[in-house]
Amino acid sequence: MSEYDLVIIGAGPAGLTAGLYAARARMNVLLIEKAVPGGQILVTDWIENYPGFPEGISGFDLAEKIKEQALALGLTIETAEVQGLDLSGKIKKVILKNKHIKAKSLIIASGASPRKPGVGEDRFMGKGISFCATCDGPFFRDKVVVAVGGGDTAVQESIFLTRFAKKVYLVHRRDELRATKILQERAFSNDKIEFLWDSVVTGMDGVYGVEKVNIKNLKTGKASEIEANGCFLWIGILPNTEFIKGDVKTDEGGFILVDNRMQTNVPGVFAVGDVRDTPLRQIATAVGDGAVAAVSAEHYVESL
């Protein structure tokens, strides 16, 4: 059974930064990622608010830059899915499908996934339902789509969709957006976007894919139907913590609780990025989390 000073679970900006710092500190560190390093930023079309890139940068390019920098400093990345943890002893165990890995410290950077509204979207997965405009927007060229949400992601992705779709209906359950002002201004000035306020999606229908989306106004109770070729959902996120199974304390939404050193209630176990309880989920804050956690883990290991 392999043993490391530090094992990091998840290779988004937070996990990669933690790995970069730990490798640079000459810790014996392993980063485990079940998919492709980069996390959510891989499906972000354009990033304008990450320092150092005044002209902006694509999510894919930024992820590649962070990954390559971490690898150059000696970080080892293994592709595997974590199935469970054993945090009962001073030495932690990370349970994979075919082996266990021992670690003196652990950083959970497993991120979060889109929340599903439960209105029949599973029937149309890959057939009109999407959580990523960057991934699937080109498939809706000159078509009508419905977008759901009112935060930064929903508004930014809706704007991106207008590069392809001829019409975007943005459905929001409130009467005003929660997105930052600059994104609101861009959306309101885009004549391809029509806002459906105080409304929710109640269902969808179609033969081979999405053809109609059912809408209900929460104030009037009026039901309506929109003929559309797709529906993009951005109504929040859920933490990817299935493998933790109650070992660390979380808030009511399942996000991991940490202190200002990213330490959880379990000594030697830290959490960073979107998976933790945080007032802001941005690349800049994820990177900061990763740096703090790596240094905290280093100090913890030195104290053993």
Side-chain angles (χ1 to χ4, degrees):
M1 185 183 297
S2 303
E3 181 172 327
Y4 294 86
D5 292 331
L6 170 64
V7 169
I8 303 166
I9 301 172
L16 285 171
T17 301
L20 185 157
Y21 269 71
R24 189 170 182 270
R26 298 297 184 263
M27 295 182 76
N28 183 18
V29 55
L30 173 68
L31 190 154
I32 301 173
E33 167 57 49
K34 68 178 181 179
V36 180
Q40 292 291 326
I41 65 172
L42 286 174
V43 295
T44 301
D45 172 53
W46 199 250
I47 298 165
E48 297 178 315
N49 58 353
Y50 189 73
F53 298 92
E55 303 300 322
I57 185 172
S58 73
F60 178 85
D61 287 344
L62 180 59
E64 280 294 300
K65 286 179 179 294
I66 300 173
K67 183 190 75 172
E68 293 302 324
Q69 185 177 0
L71 291 174
L73 288 169
L75 177 64
T76 298
I77 300 177
E78 179 174 335
T79 302
E81 184 172 358
V82 176
Q83 299 186 338
L85 303 174
D86 181 353
L87 307 180
S88 58
K90 183 172 290 187
I91 301 299
K92 322 303 177 188
K93 294 180 182 178
V94 180
I95 303 168
L96 306 181
K97 183 177 181 179
N98 299 317
K99 63 179 178 179
H100 293 183
I101 296 174
K102 290 183 177 180
K104 296 175 182 177
S105 62
L106 182 67
I107 294 177
I108 301 170
S110 49
S113 299
R115 182 187 298 274
K116 296 180 181 179
V119 292
E121 67 278 357
D122 287 343
R123 176 186 168 193
F124 296 105
M125 288 295 178
K127 300 176 182 179
I129 291 294
S130 177
F131 301 93
C132 175
T134 307
C135 308
D136 299 327
F139 295 116
F140 296 89
R141 191 177 301 276
D142 298 323
K143 296 183 178 180
V144 176
V145 299
V146 172
V148 184
D152 282 354
T153 299
V155 175
Q156 186 171 30
E157 295 285 78
S158 294
I159 295 170
F160 178 78
L161 280 174
T162 62
R163 299 185 186 183
F164 309 99
K166 64 181 179 181
K167 181 77 172 183
V168 177
Y169 290 96
L170 182 53
V171 180
H172 185 40
R173 65 183 303 113
R174 299 179 177 84
D175 59 2
E176 61 181 6
L177 299 173
R178 293 177 289 106
T180 55
K181 293 300 182 183
I182 189 170
L183 290 177
Q184 291 191 40
E185 291 169 1
R186 291 174 182 173
F188 291 143
S189 64
N190 193 316
D191 58 10
K192 285 189 175 182
I193 299 177
E194 181 175 334
F195 296 87
L196 301 180
W197 304 107
D198 303 308
S199 299
V200 295
V201 170
T202 57
M204 51 200 70
D205 200 6
V207 179
Y208 301 108
V210 173
E211 296 175 3
K212 297 177 181 179
V213 178
N214 301 318
I215 309 293
K216 179 181 179 180
N217 187 290
L218 296 174
K219 288 188 175 180
T220 66
K222 181 181 178 181
S224 59
E225 187 177 79
I226 296 176
E227 292 188 1
N229 306 103
C231 186
F232 288 77
L233 303 170
W234 299 294
I235 56 172
I237 58 173
L238 296 172
N240 298 326
T241 53
E242 302 86 356
F243 59 91
I244 297 176
K245 299 177 182 177
D247 293 313
V248 298
K249 289 184 178 178
T250 64
D251 65 9
E252 293 181 354
F255 293 93
I256 300 173
L257 297 171
V258 298
D259 63 17
N260 60 3
R261 296 180 183 275
M262 304 300 138
Q263 171 73 60
T264 70
N265 62 295
V266 180
V269 178
F270 307 85
V272 296
D274 287 358
V275 76
R276 81 172 182 95
D277 174 41
T278 176
L280 185 62
R281 290 183 170 85
Q282 294 286 299
I283 300 170
T285 55
V287 166
D289 284 1
V292 171
V295 174
S296 297
E298 180 187 0
H299 292 167
Y300 174 81
V301 171
E302 290 174 348
S303 71
L304 294 178

